[in-house]
Amino acid sequence: MSSIIDTVSWLAPDGSVHFQWSEQAILTGGRLRIIDQRALPGQLRYLSINTVEDACEAIQTLAVRGAPAIGCAAALALAAAGGEIETGSTDAFFRHLHEYARRLNASRPTAVNLSWALDRCMRHLENLSELPVPALKKELLKEALAILDEDIKLCDRIGEYGSSLLHDGMGILTHCNAGALAAGGCGTALAPIYDAMRKGMRLKVYADETRPLLQGSRLTAWELQRAGADVTVLCDNMAAQLMCEGRIQAVIVGADRIAANGDTANKIGTYGAAVLAHYHGIPFYVAAPYSTFDLKLKSGSEIPIEQRDPREVTAFFGKQSAPEGVAVCNPAFDVTPHELIGAFITDRGILQPPFAETENRI
Ligand code: MRU
């Protein structure tokens, strides 16, 4: 499709951590363009998303990843694809659109922001279904951009609330990447760190490497380093020792889906970090926007956990690192029980579970 969406970058090429997009370009024709996170940290490369299939592949292969970013990308891809549907019939338009949304939604199961963003776009259009197709296309784009715009602001609010928990000189451990590469704005878990830096606090950030796909060392270290943060990478199995040495005063992680009781799915290894923090008496925080809460789910046992290709474990970035044919488990996420989470840093303040329906959806 010759898409209606132009340059959407998850990180500005000058190294600033703001989401960049050009409204003018979006309205005058262009493409959805994202940073290809698979190439980082070696190469800052952009990927054009030209079809729904491109978008699904980008999400599945983690070219774009992180719960809020997946939601924004899917909504924008839906708007781009919707803009290309050639029909004057509202029924046919909705039929195509539902099919696109279904395919996008099937691309990854755990981060609820994906279905949340797609449902929100579809609901918006269904409320306007008496409009002619060209007007529906405009409304779809407007809603997708509203999701993006809102996400940028949510990140800033998470940053402000979160930085109130931090103080000068702290060591902070984070897991995976929940920064500017993972959201529309400056991130979730990293937002308090960016806000604290703006306020002049000196923090020492420890980035878990995050096996098997190294989002911590490839992405978190990359974006924090570019933002001028004091960041140190460690292998996942080193955190206990650093905690024991008194070098970590708080752990902040993002989330892919939070159940009503506060159980939280996030990148595999998060649960382990929470157990370690608990043992060492270190506060463990989850930072997430309201769009990551799934209050239909009573507890974390209902969260679908993505199982990924065993080769991510047995071939370390292309180099065989386990014997051929060996059994492998590769869950992409784990669920941290709510008892281990000190507080939730959200766009609506610092919250404690159980969560009421008002905190969910819009
Ligand atoms: O598999 P990924 O890289 O998409 O996993 C991402 C995470 O687990 C993040 O911590 C989470 O999505 C929050 S991003 C703000």
Side-chain angles (χ1 to χ4, degrees):
M1 69 201 167
S2 73
S3 141
I4 46 175
I5 296 185
D6 195 61
T7 309
V8 178
S9 316
W10 308 104
L11 192 64
D14 68 357
S16 68
V17 291
H18 297 285
F19 201 101
Q20 281 214 325
W21 51 280
S22 148
E23 187 164 13
Q24 181 148 26
I26 287 164
L27 297 175
T28 55
R31 286 181 192 289
L32 172 58
R33 213 163 70 102
I34 60 168
I35 285 184
D36 185 346
Q37 299 190 33
R38 296 167 302 190
L40 290 171
Q43 209 189 342
L44 180 54
R45 179 172 89 192
Y46 289 83
L47 184 70
S48 282
I49 306 281
N50 299 319
T51 63
V52 167
E53 284 65 40
D54 287 352
C56 291
E57 201 198 322
I59 293 171
Q60 275 154 7
T61 61
L62 312 193
V64 55
R65 31 90 22 229
I70 293 172
C72 293
L76 291 165
L78 183 71
E84 297 297 312
I85 297 171
E86 284 178 17
T87 180
S89 148
T90 318
D91 281 353
F93 178 72
F94 272 105
R95 245 193 339 273
H96 283 296
L97 214 56
H98 274 295
E99 174 54 19
Y100 292 161
R102 190 194 61 73
R103 273 151 48 190
L104 285 162
N105 194 31
S107 54
R108 287 191 85 189
T110 303
V112 72
N113 305 63
L114 177 60
S115 58
W116 171 85
L118 293 166
D119 288 351
R120 176 169 154 175
C121 287
M122 294 309 294
R123 252 199 337 272
H124 179 70
L125 287 199
E126 271 150 18
N127 289 333
L128 300 168
S129 58
E130 75 290 348
L131 291 179
V133 171
L136 287 172
K137 291 179 175 177
K138 276 198 187 128
E139 283 295 330
L140 177 56
L141 177 57
K142 220 170 83 190
E143 194 62 10
L145 291 172
I147 288 172
L148 172 57
D149 188 48
E150 194 181 281
D151 197 62
I152 294 169
K153 293 178 180 131
L154 296 180
C155 291
D156 289 343
R157 286 207 289 279
I158 290 170
E160 279 168 38
Y161 285 121
S163 68
S164 70
L165 300 168
L166 307 181
H167 56 76
D168 198 38
M170 266 176 130
I172 296 168
L173 177 73
T174 189
H175 191 75
C176 194
N177 172 264
L181 288 163
C186 62
T188 59
L190 298 194
I193 292 166
Y194 288 129
D195 194 64
M197 282 169 63
R198 268 193 297 276
K199 291 174 174 151
M201 278 184 232
R202 283 157 306 151
L203 304 172
K204 194 153 183 65
V205 186
Y206 294 95
D208 267 347
E209 176 188 45
T210 316
R211 275 284 279 149
L213 295 179
L214 310 188
Q215 288 91 333
S217 57
R218 290 192 305 108
L219 308 176
T220 297
W222 183 80
E223 72 165 81
L224 284 175
Q225 194 181 53
R226 281 169 70 104
D230 176 353
V231 58
T232 301
V233 172
L234 58 148
C235 300
D236 301 347
N237 54 5
M238 296 170 184
Q241 182 60 26
L242 266 72
M243 288 181 181
C244 178
E245 289 169 10
R247 292 160 74 177
I248 293 171
Q249 280 69 48
V251 181
I252 313 180
V253 297
D256 286 84
R257 197 184 290 238
I258 301 167
N261 71 344
D263 292 352
T264 296
N266 191 51
K267 177 53 55 196
I268 190 76
T270 302
Y271 179 19
V275 172
L276 293 178
H278 183 73
Y279 180 82
H280 291 94
I282 295 167
F284 182 93
Y285 301 116
V286 169
Y290 78 96
S291 48
T292 305
F293 288 75
D294 188 355
L295 304 188
K296 291 188 309 299
L297 308 187
K298 285 197 179 60
S299 79
S301 61
E302 296 171 62
I303 298 176
I305 300 294
E306 176 183 12
Q307 304 292 324
R308 291 186 63 87
D309 191 327
R311 283 171 300 186
E312 291 177 351
V313 175
T314 56
F316 194 73
F317 286 82
K319 190 165 163 33
Q320 180 100 15
S321 56
E324 196 60 50
V326 74
V328 171
C329 56
N330 188 18
F333 301 95
D334 57 27
V335 177
T336 301
H338 61 94
E339 299 90 339
L340 297 179
I341 299 169
F344 289 79
I345 306 168
T346 79
D347 50 291
R348 297 170 185 195
I350 310 285
L351 304 180
Q352 295 289 344
F355 298 108
E357 198 59 43
T358 49
E359 280 145 24
N360 200 22
R361 309 297 178 249
I362 44 171

